[in-house]
Amino acid sequence: MELQRRSGILLHPTSLPGTPGIGTIGQKAFDFVDWLEEGHQSLWQILPLGPTGYGDSPYASFSTFAGNPLMIDLEDLVERGWADKNNIVPPDYISYQGNVDFGSVVWWKMPVLKNAAEYFLQHASDEDKESYKEFLVHHGIWLENYSLFMSIKEFYDKKAQEEKIAGAMWSTYWPKELACHQEAALAQWLDTHGQEVEIQKVIQFFFFTQWHKLKSYANGKGISIVGDIPIFVAADSADVWANQALFQLDENGRAKAVAGVPPDYFCSTGQLWGNPLYDWDAMEAQGYDWWITRIKATLELVDYIRIDHFRGFEAYWAVPAGDKTAEYGQWLPGPNHKLFQAIQNTLGDIPIIAEDLGVITDEVRKLRDDFNLPGMKVLQFAFDLKEAGGSGCVNAFLPHMYSPHCVVYTGTHDNDTMAGWLSKAAPEELDLIGQYLDGPGSSCDKKDLCRRLVQLAISSTAKFAVIPLQDIFGLGSEARMNMPSTSDGKNWIWRMAENMTSQDVSQWLKQLSLLYGRNVEAFAEVSEE
């Protein structure tokens, strides 16, 4: 995949402001696209769009194909005639500002969406119902299983709560015939719970209708959506439940080993993700159809796909099931070139960005480069002397070391904000930043330092430059999106303030874009010359 020199912003839709409880893909998202256009930014990077599960993480979704119902904009449903305006008024405990309280939002919004789905089935126009039928056909390959899964899950989650059983999953709590995805049992469930299953489908129709309108609007303004999918899927997901033969599970559907990474920059005991691992031999026997379908479906929602933990395709860290940390796993071979060749043979030149951070081997680099996939550079790592082994000048994350075929970030969703990182940086690291910006012998002037590092990323030779919105405004650690290996309810909750789409900031971004050739039209003119 070849890249054109561009820049943009990393912001998940849940972080958008001014809507009840959580950011949505309604008017505020369109306003954000307008702000990106004003700032000559042509990339909007987001996190995974799926329905979030335990811990509210978009990287632990109930489905890799479905959309997150919490992002659906209720006002838009009313305007379309798909919901009653009297039924969408939020209670007093739902705020339009401040961080997301996922528990409160789920408690309020999911019943509202179900009511809207029932309203749609009763009152939608013939034209809208025809669109819904087309949606069912187009997405049937995953939608039926997802809707069944969510219907069964909600029933047995409620039952487990009544029995005060914590952590009930399909593989540990559901009746065996349902857990084993037996056709007769599923048919019987549909007979008795068909309306609940249908409501799940309508809610997905709401999401996809709104998302495609937003994406079309962004694309029409020259803005591409950079999406994100994790390499692994959640254990408690429709993906694993409906495709058990493709995962390393025992006869009861429980993982034999789970995913993670060994001790690294983020955690001294490694990161224990807990995802079930793929049975790559079974995947290969089916021509990697599941992965091809996954990539194809994602490309209907976004223009580029960042695949989290790319190195796991070459070799993955397998941790024995039941271990409390990821320290004692082992590297096992992944599908390597075979998977990407199968994807390319079916879908052609795929617009994939490889998240190649962490422990990267020559074999991983070869896999990335053989398919011409851009990798990632994180500016925070450039000045981390521990990460650089004490030799800052040859750190691969420093801009003068970049190959242009990459994407540079000041930080990612897993990093502290740049301002937060700077506040904790060692004196030697700050000294290196000062010298890098202003030459040998210079000291670090902390004034506007965050903005200067944003400028450094945008000025680099990397074809794509993507900046978290928090770093544009120099926000501290309180605005951090995620702290890996923690689940204290403080992750994924940050929301931007209404005044963060100010014209002075968009003009500053515009000037940077023009100055460093990241304006699409300007760069095209230079290329033609």
Side-chain angles (χ1 to χ4, degrees):
M1 175 182 69
E2 295 301 325
L3 302 178
Q4 189 179 49
R5 190 168 172 82
R6 307 169 73 175
S7 61
I9 300 296
L10 169 59
L11 181 81
H12 199 46
T14 58
S15 294
L16 288 164
T19 47
I22 192 170
T24 74
I25 53 178
Q27 185 56 49
K28 294 296 181 180
F30 288 80
D31 294 343
F32 183 70
V33 169
D34 291 341
W35 183 76
L36 290 174
E37 182 190 31
E38 291 170 5
H40 284 219
Q41 302 305 298
S42 57
L43 299 171
W44 179 8
Q45 181 163 335
I46 58 175
L47 305 182
L49 288 169
T52 51
Y54 303 110
D56 310 312
S57 171
Y59 293 88
S61 173
F62 294 135
S63 169
T64 192
F65 296 94
N68 187 346
L70 301 182
M71 294 185 200
I72 294 171
D73 190 76
L74 299 177
E75 293 284 351
D76 178 76
L77 297 184
V78 172
E79 291 174 9
R80 293 175 182 271
W82 296 353
D84 184 336
K85 65 179 181 180
N86 296 315
N87 292 336
I88 69 167
V89 179
D92 292 341
Y93 62 81
I94 297 294
S95 173
Y96 284 71
Q97 304 296 334
N99 289 340
V100 179
D101 180 346
F102 280 95
S104 296
V105 173
V106 170
W107 180 264
W108 161 66
K109 194 167 185 176
M110 288 309 300
V112 172
L113 287 169
K114 290 178 181 179
N115 286 336
E118 290 180 346
Y119 188 91
F120 173 88
L121 291 171
Q122 294 170 10
H123 300 286
S125 68
D126 291 341
E127 182 180 356
D128 288 339
K129 287 182 178 178
E130 187 61 33
S131 295
Y132 175 58
K133 290 178 182 177
E134 293 173 1
F135 170 79
L136 296 180
V137 172
H138 184 72
H139 296 278
I141 195 168
W142 62 267
L143 185 60
E144 188 70 30
N145 276 316
Y146 167 76
S147 301
L148 277 165
F149 176 83
M150 293 305 297
S151 171
I152 301 169
K153 177 177 173 56
E154 288 185 359
F155 179 89
Y156 284 102
D157 278 0
K158 183 178 179 180
K159 189 170 184 291
Q161 290 170 6
E162 291 170 350
E163 296 175 358
K164 298 182 179 179
I165 297 174
M169 292 172 51
W170 64 267
S171 58
T172 61
Y173 188 70
W174 292 11
K176 191 171 181 62
E177 62 272 15
L178 289 174
C180 292
H181 202 266
Q182 293 179 7
E183 288 188 16
L186 296 179
Q188 184 178 1
W189 185 270
L190 267 175
D191 285 341
T192 55
H193 298 82
Q195 179 73 356
E196 298 164 19
V197 175
E198 191 73 18
I199 284 171
Q200 293 291 340
K201 295 177 182 179
V202 174
I203 291 173
Q204 286 302 302
F205 174 68
F206 290 165
F207 176 90
F208 276 75
T209 300
Q210 290 186 355
W211 179 260
H212 283 301
K213 181 181 177 182
L214 176 61
K215 180 179 181 294
S216 178
Y217 185 77
N219 290 167
K221 289 179 173 288
I223 296 167
S224 299
I225 307 293
V226 181
D228 193 323
I229 58 175
I231 183 175
F232 298 114
V233 294
D236 195 21
S237 70
D239 308 304
V240 179
W241 171 69
N243 300 279
Q244 295 175 46
L246 299 179
F247 294 85
Q248 297 180 31
L249 307 176
D250 63 20
E251 65 277 4
N252 295 312
R254 300 173 189 178
K256 298 176 182 177
V258 297
V261 290
D264 63 4
Y265 172 86
F266 292 107
C267 187
S268 61
T269 58
Q271 297 181 47
L272 183 63
W273 298 333
N275 309 80
L277 298 167
Y278 298 111
D279 183 332
W280 286 116
D281 290 338
M283 288 270 188
E284 183 180 9
Q286 293 188 10
Y288 300 106
D289 283 348
W290 185 87
W291 262 99
I292 292 169
T293 301
R294 186 187 192 193
I295 296 295
K296 183 179 180 181
T298 305
L299 286 174
E300 292 184 4
L301 297 173
V302 302
D303 301 295
Y304 299 91
I305 302 174
R306 171 193 178 273
I307 298 187
D308 197 49
H309 194 57
F310 177 81
R311 72 102 57 244
F313 293 113
E314 190 276 326
Y316 59 91
W317 188 249
V319 182
D323 278 16
K324 301 301 182 184
T325 72
E327 294 173 274
Y328 305 111
Q330 60 176 324
W331 289 112
L332 296 175
N336 214 318
H337 287 61
K338 291 183 290 187
L339 169 62
F340 287 90
Q341 193 61 61
I343 296 172
Q344 192 174 76
N345 289 346
T346 304
L347 301 179
D349 189 21
I350 41 180
I352 287 176
I353 296 167
E355 187 272 284
D356 55 349
L357 306 175
V359 180
I360 302 302
T361 64
D362 288 341
E363 291 79 10
V364 177
R365 296 186 188 94
K366 177 174 172 55
L367 174 60
R368 178 197 66 197
D369 295 344
D370 284 352
F371 289 93
N372 198 32
L373 306 179
M376 289 175 53
K377 303 296 182 183
V378 178
L379 205 54
Q380 282 185 27
F381 297 161
F383 304 105
D384 188 322
L385 297 182
K386 178 178 63 177
E387 184 77 8
S391 182
C393 61
V394 295
N395 186 328
F397 292 99
L398 283 164
H400 71 272
M401 300 292 291
Y402 295 172
S403 164
H405 193 59
C406 69
V407 184
V408 62
Y409 301 80
T410 47
T412 74
H413 63 276
D414 281 334
N415 295 100
D416 200 346
T417 65
M418 181 58 83
W421 182 83
L422 288 169
S423 71
K424 304 175 186 71
E428 314 88 74
E429 292 167 337
L430 292 173
D431 183 60
L432 176 59
I433 294 172
Q435 293 188 56
Y436 197 83
L437 292 173
D438 298 319
S442 301
S443 59
C444 185
D445 182 358
K446 291 187 177 181
K447 183 180 179 181
D448 294 328
L449 187 54
C450 192
R451 271 202 167 199
R452 294 192 67 191
L453 290 170
V454 168
Q455 181 172 349
L456 178 63
I458 293 176
S459 71
S460 74
T461 59
K463 287 292 183 71
F464 279 12
V466 179
I467 314 297
L469 189 71
Q470 295 95 315
D471 291 349
I472 298 294
F473 289 89
L475 302 182
S477 299
E478 73 282 354
R480 181 171 184 164
M481 199 64 173
N482 180 48
M483 175 76 76
S485 297
T486 65
S487 55
D488 56 5
K490 296 180 180 179
N491 293 329
W492 318 112
I493 64 175
W494 179 76
R495 291 182 80 183
M496 63 184 285
E498 289 270 16
N499 63 3
M500 286 185 183
T501 51
S502 59
Q503 189 175 23
D504 61 329
V505 176
S506 67
Q507 289 305 301
W508 176 63
L509 290 171
K510 176 181 177 180
Q511 291 166 4
L512 289 179
S513 182
L514 292 170
L515 182 62
Y516 296 113
R518 294 193 183 275
N519 175 274
V520 175
E521 292 86 359
F523 186 72
E525 291 174 4
V526 172
S527 299
E528 289 171 5
E529 293 174 3

